[in-house]
């Protein structure tokens, strides 16, 4: 089996065709919203931060559209998947790009916040500490970009998403992703027998963190200036 997945048909090392397509969708792009560039000369305010959050969602929608099998779902089911997973995906993306920092989070290109700065922007101590702890867990396992890409795809395919109609097809696609992910790890890390399980165990932690963020951030800060409405409109316009 290791020989079979050493190279995908497109020549990507250690990957089958599905895993290669997941990697090529580029889950690791970083927000760089046009017209809201931050030069660090003044404190980052909440409105600027929210623009970066919206750009994160744009990147998630763009990335999802490139995943194998995703476009086979109806537009309503694609919307349901994005709505259900965008917070988890946002934090997973945030954690991955923050791995090279200590006690900080990388919001976007050239924007790194420490605990105090994040708290001032409304994160809450429990949320920022939880985020930094999750980043430390990722640092500990040294997750590579291919594993990260696969985890993002697995998170998106949530069969219990609210409003989802074709649950069986979503579950089937998630199973396909999981199988390709497992084969990749067996081929890429043959001496780390527990690596696959250790990586999947990060997902329940991520879900708890995302639920905390949703309560703390969306229900309070975002509704205040209509950002939730902007998010809904963005998803409606982007997924057709």
């Amino acid at each position: 089996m290791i020989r079979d997945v050493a190279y995908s048909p497109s020549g990507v090392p250690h990957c089958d065709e599905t895993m290669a397509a997941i990697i090529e969708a580029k889950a690791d792009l970083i927000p760089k919203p046009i017209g809201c560039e931050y030069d660090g000369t003044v404190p980052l305010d909440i409105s600027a931060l929210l623009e970066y959050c919206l750009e994160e969602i744009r990147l998630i929608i763009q990335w999802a559209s490139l995943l194998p099998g995703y476009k086979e779902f109806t537009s309503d089911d694609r919307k349901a998947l994005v709505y259900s997973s965008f917070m988890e995906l946002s934090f997973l993306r945030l954690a991955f790009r923050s791995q090279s920092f200590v006690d900080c989070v990388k919001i976007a290109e050239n924007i790194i916040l420490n605990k105090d700065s994040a708290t001032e922007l409304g994160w809450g101590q429990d949320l920022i500490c939880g985020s930094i702890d999750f980043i430390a867990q990722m640092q500990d396992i040294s997750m590579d970009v291919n594993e990260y890409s696969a985890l993002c795809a697995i998170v998106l395919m949530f069969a219990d998403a609210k409003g989802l109609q074709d649950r069986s097809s979503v579950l089937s696609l998630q199973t396909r992703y999981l199988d390709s992910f497992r084969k990749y790890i067996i081929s890429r890390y043959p001496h780390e027998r527990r690596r696959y399980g250790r990586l999947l165990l990060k997902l329940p932690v991520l879900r708890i963190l995302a639920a905390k963020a949703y309560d703390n951030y969306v229900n309070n800060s975002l509704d205040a200036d209509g950002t939730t409405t902007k998010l809904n409109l963005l998803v409606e316009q982007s997924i057709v």
Side-chain angles (χ1 to χ4, degrees), residues 70-81 163-166 239-240:
Y70 176 76
K71 284 193 172 181
E72 295 175 13
F73 301 125
T74 66
S75 61
D76 286 343
D77 275 357
R78 296 201 301 272
K79 289 172 188 176
L81 291 171
L164 187 66
Q165 297 299 312
D166 194 355
I239 302 178
V240 294

Side-chain angles (χ1 to χ4, degrees), residues 45-238:
D45 61 25
I46 189 67
S47 61
L49 176 64
L50 293 175
E51 285 302 316
Y52 283 98
C53 292
L54 288 172
E55 180 64 14
E56 191 85 72
I57 306 305
R58 290 187 187 94
L59 289 176
I60 288 172
I61 293 170
Q62 172 187 303
W63 156 80
S65 70
L66 300 174
L67 292 175
Y70 176 76
K71 284 193 172 181
E72 295 175 13
F73 301 125
T74 66
S75 61
D76 286 343
D77 275 357
R78 296 201 301 272
K79 289 172 188 176
L81 291 171
V82 170
Y83 276 123
S84 229
S85 63
F86 82 87
M87 190 63 79
E88 287 176 60
L89 287 169
S90 295
F91 270 90
L92 182 53
R93 292 164 62 88
L94 177 77
F96 183 75
R97 63 177 177 253
S98 301
Q99 288 185 95
S100 59
F101 302 97
V102 177
D103 291 343
C104 292
V105 292
K106 185 173 183 177
I107 299 297
E109 198 66 55
N110 302 320
I111 301 182
I112 296 97
L113 301 179
N114 59 26
K115 289 182 180 180
D116 291 339
S117 299
T119 302
E120 289 174 6
L121 289 169
W123 280 45
Q125 280 291 333
D126 57 340
L127 182 57
I128 184 60
C129 289
S131 300
I132 288 174
D133 181 64
F134 186 69
I135 293 166
Q137 292 181 43
M138 292 181 70
Q139 291 168 331
D140 181 61
I141 203 170
S142 298
M143 184 186 301
D144 70 40
V145 67
N146 298 339
E147 293 169 322
Y148 156 75
S149 299
L151 283 180
C152 285
I154 291 163
V155 167
L156 177 67
M157 293 302 139
F158 181 48
D160 291 327
K162 183 179 179 180
L164 187 66
Q165 297 299 312
D166 194 355
R167 298 182 187 278
S168 62
S169 293
V170 170
L171 184 59
S172 176
L173 187 56
Q174 187 191 61
T175 301
R176 175 180 157 193
Y177 289 173
L178 284 163
D179 186 55
S180 293
F181 182 37
R182 178 181 58 83
K183 289 176 180 177
Y184 168 78
I185 292 175
I186 289 172
S187 177
R188 177 68 180 82
Y189 301 98
H191 304 298
E192 297 186 41
R193 298 178 59 186
R194 298 182 180 179
R195 188 174 183 88
Y196 178 67
R198 287 181 66 198
L199 285 164
L200 290 182
L201 284 174
K202 303 304 176 193
L203 299 186
V205 179
L206 178 65
R207 180 155 297 175
I208 293 170
L209 181 62
K212 192 178 295 185
Y214 195 90
D215 289 339
N216 184 75
Y217 210 52
V218 173
N219 290 341
N220 296 317
S221 302
L222 295 189
D223 282 339
D225 74 343
T227 303
T228 300
T229 301
K230 292 180 185 178
L231 170 61
N232 293 338
L233 185 61
L234 173 62
V235 174
E236 290 291 334
Q237 291 177 339
S238 302

